[in-house]
Amino acid sequence: MNRRHCAAAAITLVCTLTVLTAPTQAFAAPAPPSPTASSKAPKKSLEEVRKEIDALYRKAGAATDAYNLADEQAKKQSGEIVELAKAIVDGQAKIADLKSKAGAQAREQYRTGGLPPGAQLMLSDDPQMFMDGINRVWQGQQAAKGVLGEMTRTQADLEMYTKDASTNWKKLEANRIKQAKAKKQINAQIAAAKKLESQLEKEERARLLELEQEAEYRAQTAWLGSGALKEINREASERGKKAVAFATSQIGKPYEWGAEGPGSYDCSGLTSQAWAAAGRPIPRTSQEQWRQLPHIAIKDMRPGDLIIYHGDASHVGMYIGDGAIVHAPRPGRNVTLAGAGSMEILGVVRPDK
């Protein structure tokens, strides 16, 4: 027992000596943080701010398209509901009239002892009256069948109208929810972009505009350098000329999301109103313009055609010739001219093909 105690004591002593004789730097305290480590992150460059603002406005543009589409669908459903309501009222009046006619026939039979007038004539000894009776009975039966048949059809129509109206109410409510969600996203993106801009000095904001223009110039130069414009020499159609004239006459008016003029526009509000003025109504949003209108090759482009931008078709401008477009760029900017290749081109559509 004493040996075990002595051994344990010896082991404890060895461990203690080992700890005490270990190099002191192994237990050194961590160095205090340098003053720079706790300071604010380095300020973003103006180019980084420009790209961030551009990304925010592009997201707002995509949300604007979603808002406009939901708004367009809601208006369509509201119109359909109004028409269905009118049809339901007319149907109810028609059924009331048919019921009145059926009731008159029933009352007439009651007054004649359950026999229609024609059946009574059939009991006559006069051959002519007998034949008239047969004819009247047949006519009465056809009239009764007609009233009942029309009542059945009208009732079926009413049920269908009611069902369609209920479906449209549900769609309308869903689109209103989409609108509200899109509006919230738009406001959030625009607010974030404006906040970034508001933090800039006056000189920085001026330089920011210059950077935007320089980025557009570089993209346009690269597009022209690819030879894209060499084969583009087609003239506008008569309607295309009218659309271009309308769009260019809006230059200088401010961008406003969801706006269709006359005082302000968003990108697709401008193009859709320009073609409406030319007598060719087209879809309201850039995404629907891309989805529904005929696609053409860039080399076949002519003034009046619409160039759809970015992978999500969130922006649109109208080609006016000589490698230029007219468009409503974004919040804080006005309707203006720009290079057709100054943004990422998704494709081209032709409203009057």
Side-chain angles (χ1 to χ4, degrees):
M1 190 71 175
N2 288 335
R3 287 180 182 176
R4 277 201 291 270
H5 284 306
C6 291
I11 293 170
T12 301
L13 180 61
V14 170
C15 291
T16 303
L17 289 172
T18 302
V19 170
L20 292 175
T21 56
T24 55
Q25 59 265 36
F27 298 91
S34 64
T36 55
S38 59
S39 62
K40 291 182 179 179
K43 186 178 178 181
K44 293 178 182 177
S45 71
L46 206 53
E47 176 62 12
E48 288 174 325
V49 172
R50 182 195 71 78
K51 288 180 178 179
E52 191 172 344
I53 289 173
D54 184 60
L56 287 167
Y57 279 126
R58 276 189 56 191
K59 288 177 182 177
T64 298
D65 243 25
Y67 175 90
N68 289 336
L69 180 59
D71 182 55
E72 189 176 34
Q73 290 173 336
K75 287 176 182 175
K76 180 183 176 185
Q77 271 128 27
S78 293
E80 288 175 354
I81 288 169
V82 170
E83 291 304 312
L84 286 167
K86 289 178 181 176
I88 289 170
V89 170
D90 291 343
Q92 288 171 337
K94 189 175 182 181
I95 283 180
D97 182 59
L98 290 169
K99 284 182 177 179
S100 178
K101 288 178 180 178
Q105 289 175 348
R107 287 191 295 273
E108 179 64 23
Q109 286 189 8
Y110 177 77
R111 282 195 298 270
T112 57
L115 290 174
Q120 292 178 352
L121 288 173
M122 287 173 65
L123 300 176
S124 173
D125 292 333
D126 186 322
Q128 184 59 47
M129 291 182 71
F130 177 80
M131 294 303 296
D132 287 346
I134 291 175
N135 188 45
R136 288 191 189 184
V137 167
W138 182 83
Q139 288 178 346
Q141 288 174 340
Q142 292 303 110
K145 285 181 181 177
V147 168
L148 291 173
E150 195 170 357
M151 192 182 294
T152 301
R153 287 192 298 273
T154 304
Q155 188 66 46
D157 287 343
L158 268 178
E159 289 175 2
M160 182 185 70
Y161 296 151
T162 304
K163 184 178 179 181
D164 287 348
S166 176
T167 300
N168 275 310
W169 272 115
K170 289 177 183 176
K171 288 180 180 177
L172 180 62
E173 186 59 27
N175 280 315
R176 282 175 176 164
I177 291 170
K178 284 181 186 177
Q179 275 183 275
K181 183 178 179 182
K183 186 175 181 179
K184 187 176 180 181
Q185 290 175 336
I186 293 164
N187 288 333
Q189 303 297 342
I190 292 176
K194 285 183 175 179
K195 183 179 179 181
L196 279 174
E197 286 189 82
S198 69
Q199 293 170 347
L200 300 175
E201 300 293 336
K202 183 179 178 180
E203 294 78 9
E204 289 178 316
R205 286 197 293 273
R207 179 57 184 153
L208 182 68
L209 179 58
E210 289 178 5
L211 288 174
E212 287 179 13
Q213 294 169 341
E214 287 171 9
E216 290 174 1
Y217 176 77
R218 286 194 300 272
Q220 175 74 351
T221 302
W223 183 68
L224 293 175
S226 69
L229 200 60
K230 287 180 180 178
E231 298 182 47
I232 303 176
N233 56 5
R234 291 163 179 75
E235 288 194 11
S237 64
E238 287 306 310
R239 280 185 171 176
K241 290 176 182 177
K242 291 179 182 178
V244 169
F246 179 94
T248 52
S249 69
Q250 310 308 309
I251 290 174
K253 293 183 178 179
Y255 178 103
E256 182 183 354
W257 68 265
E260 300 177 79
S264 57
Y265 296 89
D266 64 18
C267 66
S268 56
L270 177 65
T271 54
S272 60
Q273 287 302 304
W275 272 101
R280 172 70 172 94
I282 62 173
R284 168 65 178 85
T285 71
S286 59
Q287 291 175 344
E288 287 302 293
Q289 288 168 6
W290 174 246
R291 189 175 71 84
Q292 295 186 34
L293 298 178
H295 293 202
I296 62 166
I298 290 178
K299 65 182 180 64
D300 296 325
M301 190 163 58
R302 69 188 186 195
D305 289 342
L306 306 181
I307 303 181
I308 309 297
Y309 292 98
H310 310 306
D312 57 0
S314 58
H315 191 70
V316 59
M318 179 180 290
Y319 185 64
I320 61 171
D322 297 324
I325 61 166
V326 58
H327 74 142
R330 65 166 177 82
R333 300 288 183 259
N334 298 331
V335 175
T336 187
L337 299 180
S342 60
M343 295 168 281
E344 176 196 0
I345 295 176
L346 177 62
V348 182
V349 295
R350 177 166 294 164
D352 61 342
K353 188 172 181 180

